[in-house]
Amino acid sequence: MEISKANERGKEGLLVKMAYVVCFHDNNKTTMTGGGLSARVISIDCGVTEGYIDKTTNLQYEADDIQFGEIYNISSIYNFDNVSQIQKQLNTLRSFPNGKRNCYTLKPKLGKNQKYIIRAYFAYGNYDNKYKPPIFDIHLGVNLLKTINLTESEADRVIRIEAIHFSSTDTIDLCLVNIDQGVPFISLLELWPLDNSIYQSSSTLLTLDLLTRFNLGAFEDNNSFIRYTDDVDGRSWEVRRRNNYNENPKKTSSAIDLDELVDPYKLPAEVLSTAVEASKSDSLEFTQNYGTESEYHVYLHFFDFEDRGNKQNRILNVVINGFDDDDNVTQPLTVSYWKPNTIIIPIRQGMGIWNILIEATSDSDLPPMLNALEIYRVVPQLDSATQQEDGRFSSLFMHIMSIHLDALKLVGNIL
């Protein structure tokens, strides 16, 4: 069911000609609640007509109150109750039937030279009664981040994309790009600040596209995701429901005081309190299927919560792929009791990721144990000259739009 059409035909016609839409969101001009954290987080519930405070998280959700695009409710036969915490936010969306490139320009309070999580959700829910989900591209700035592809049989599916992005500018553009395979749309857009010291890559300016983030060992828990308020950085941790034949799920009943731990990644207590341990061999094995066309970063999170009191240790080797010497990466580590430890393994382009093996060395008293894992793809970057050219085009567009709006005597700001 369509709620309303939020556009003015005069403005929209100009935007189609320019093929570039800027939906400007200025966090400094928005009244935020909930203290320091809420003032640094941007949460946009796309398609709602006014903002609100979520009763579960106490986060402020804002309306994308813009003059472009059309807002809809999803079909009443679909619901997303299995997506914890954000069921309400997935009931509405904004679609962009006009223009080639439609952008949300976010202006976070912390500004430039800062690392952020940028996350978006897409819940089709047959909002247009066509039973034909679209295919379209998502760009972060000028770089292709992801292609959103929902097949006809997946009208009730939710796609989540997430990137860790270091912004060298005060604003960040997330753009929906029409590739002539249906109308782009978006349900929810979020931005969270991160500590610049974590999720390091070979270059500070590289953007990391999340492929996998699993919380391990929590097979019997009811929640399918762990996120804020449990994770103070707003990450979404998917609870892996299956276990391999040689995995033994572990969970500690001891209270974990995060303030007493030295953990720059600030993993939630719910993630630290569960793990998988090798049960029938001296190794844990995780099969993956990420091709050779990209560069990757693997983050493995260890927290040994089993106190045996007899100085037993876990001395491990992590082996990626494990084929011949040119196609594998090996990294040793020692896991200590009650001390979080995150290791980062870069995988060069041309290798791919087929297998992650964590094995105990001959000197280890205990089998391997792992609490969580994350895998990211490094997003290819256009060269700086192209980015500068894109920036000049954006500024020129805003100037031309101002002139045209004034000439047409239209009231309002360019958003």
Side-chain angles (χ1 to χ4, degrees):
M1 175 181 177
E2 181 177 348
I3 301 174
S4 67
K5 293 186 177 181
N7 60 61
E8 297 178 40
R9 293 301 177 187
K11 293 183 182 180
E12 192 173 53
L14 285 173
L15 290 168
V16 173
K17 292 179 183 178
M18 297 304 299
Y20 193 94
V21 184
V22 176
C23 309
F24 186 76
H25 171 90
D26 187 346
N27 196 41
N28 295 324
K29 296 180 181 178
T30 303
T31 302
M32 307 294 288
T33 61
L37 174 64
S38 190
R40 294 182 288 117
V41 172
I42 296 175
S43 299
I44 302 174
D45 188 347
C46 304
V48 299
T49 55
E50 60 182 19
Y52 58 90
I53 297 176
D54 185 87
K55 294 180 180 179
T56 302
T57 63
N58 203 35
L59 286 175
Q60 173 81 33
Y61 282 87
E62 303 169 42
D64 54 348
D65 186 16
I66 56 179
Q67 279 73 45
F68 314 112
E70 300 176 355
I71 60 178
Y72 291 86
N73 277 335
I74 63 170
S75 172
S76 59
I77 67 173
Y78 296 102
N79 68 75
F80 299 103
D81 291 341
N82 61 325
V83 184
S84 59
Q85 291 192 6
I86 57 170
Q87 299 96 329
K88 176 180 179 180
Q89 288 78 17
L90 299 180
N91 285 329
T92 60
L93 59 87
R94 182 176 294 273
S95 70
F96 295 93
N98 296 300
K100 186 73 174 178
R101 178 180 170 97
N102 295 271
C103 297
Y104 285 81
T105 296
L106 306 177
K107 188 176 182 182
K109 187 173 183 179
L110 295 182
K112 62 183 178 181
N113 299 324
Q114 175 65 43
K115 195 171 289 185
Y116 297 98
I117 290 177
I118 300 170
R119 180 166 51 239
Y121 290 85
F122 307 86
Y124 172 63
N126 195 34
Y127 77 90
D128 54 3
N129 293 315
K130 294 181 179 180
Y131 291 97
K132 190 176 181 180
I135 302 173
F136 55 94
D137 286 343
I138 299 296
H139 286 196
L140 192 53
V142 297
N143 299 304
L144 173 64
L145 176 60
K146 212 88 164 182
T147 295
I148 304 301
N149 185 357
L150 289 161
T151 66
E152 291 186 18
S153 62
E154 296 174 319
D156 60 345
R157 182 184 170 196
V158 177
I159 285 184
R160 180 192 82 193
I161 65 171
E162 185 173 317
I164 294 176
H165 175 69
F166 182 87
S167 181
S168 59
T169 60
D170 286 326
T171 59
I172 302 169
D173 289 341
L174 184 126
C175 303
L176 291 77
V177 180
N178 191 316
I179 57 174
D180 299 323
Q181 297 189 63
V183 176
F185 73 92
I186 184 170
S187 305
L188 175 62
L189 178 58
E190 300 177 322
L191 178 144
W192 288 73
L194 274 179
D195 191 309
N196 282 344
S197 67
I198 61 176
Y199 295 104
Q200 295 290 346
S201 57
S202 55
S203 169
T204 302
L205 296 179
L206 290 181
T207 296
L208 301 178
D209 168 32
L210 177 66
L211 301 177
T212 295
R213 182 188 289 132
F214 275 130
N215 171 37
L216 303 173
F219 304 126
E220 298 179 358
D221 288 359
N222 293 324
N223 291 331
S224 58
F225 282 93
I226 296 171
R227 49 175 286 155
Y228 185 79
T229 58
D230 296 317
D231 190 318
V232 295
D233 283 333
R235 291 162 296 192
S236 291
W237 297 85
E238 184 176 357
V239 176
R240 195 184 66 156
R241 292 299 183 186
R242 59 181 176 82
N243 60 310
N244 295 330
Y245 71 95
N246 66 330
E247 291 179 5
N248 183 24
K250 295 281 187 177
K251 185 171 184 176
T252 180
S253 58
S254 300
I256 299 176
D257 188 343
L258 299 180
D259 293 332
E260 294 181 355
L261 299 179
V262 179
D263 181 16
Y265 284 84
K266 300 178 183 176
L267 265 64
E270 289 75 10
V271 173
L272 295 176
S273 65
T274 64
V276 290
E277 184 182 67
S279 59
K280 296 182 180 180
S281 69
D282 291 329
S283 64
L284 291 170
E285 186 172 1
F286 303 92
T287 302
Q288 307 295 320
N289 186 23
Y290 297 119
T292 59
E293 67 279 358
S294 296
E295 176 186 351
Y296 304 95
H297 286 186
V298 177
Y299 295 80
L300 301 177
H301 303 285
F302 299 87
F303 181 67
D304 191 345
F305 48 70
E306 292 196 328
D307 183 11
R308 291 174 172 81
N310 52 4
K311 305 298 183 182
Q312 289 181 313
N313 55 32
R314 296 185 199 268
I315 305 175
L316 311 176
N317 276 328
V318 178
V319 182
I320 307 293
N321 292 342
F323 304 133
D324 58 57
D325 291 340
D326 292 333
D327 289 323
N328 69 47
V329 176
T330 301
Q331 184 163 330
L333 77 150
T334 298
V335 180
S336 301
Y337 172 70
W338 215 254
K339 292 183 179 179
N341 187 1
T342 295
I343 65 169
I344 308 166
I345 305 176
I347 306 298
R348 60 175 172 79
Q349 187 176 9
M351 278 189 57
I353 304 176
W354 316 112
N355 179 275
I356 299 174
L357 187 70
I358 305 174
E359 55 187 8
T361 69
S362 58
D363 297 328
S364 182
D365 301 309
L366 301 171
M369 181 178 181
L370 181 66
N371 302 74
L373 68 88
E374 301 177 81
I375 301 175
Y376 294 85
R377 176 184 65 94
V378 176
V379 177
Q381 306 288 299
L382 295 180
D383 60 50
S384 57
T386 303
Q387 295 185 44
Q388 291 170 4
E389 191 67 33
D390 183 83
R392 285 195 293 270
F393 171 72
S394 178
S395 298
L396 176 63
F397 161 76
M398 295 295 287
H399 178 66
I400 293 174
M401 281 297 297
S402 297
I403 295 173
H404 283 195
L405 290 177
D406 182 64
L408 290 172
K409 302 186 184 301
L410 296 175
V411 178
N413 298 321
I414 301 173
L415 298 179

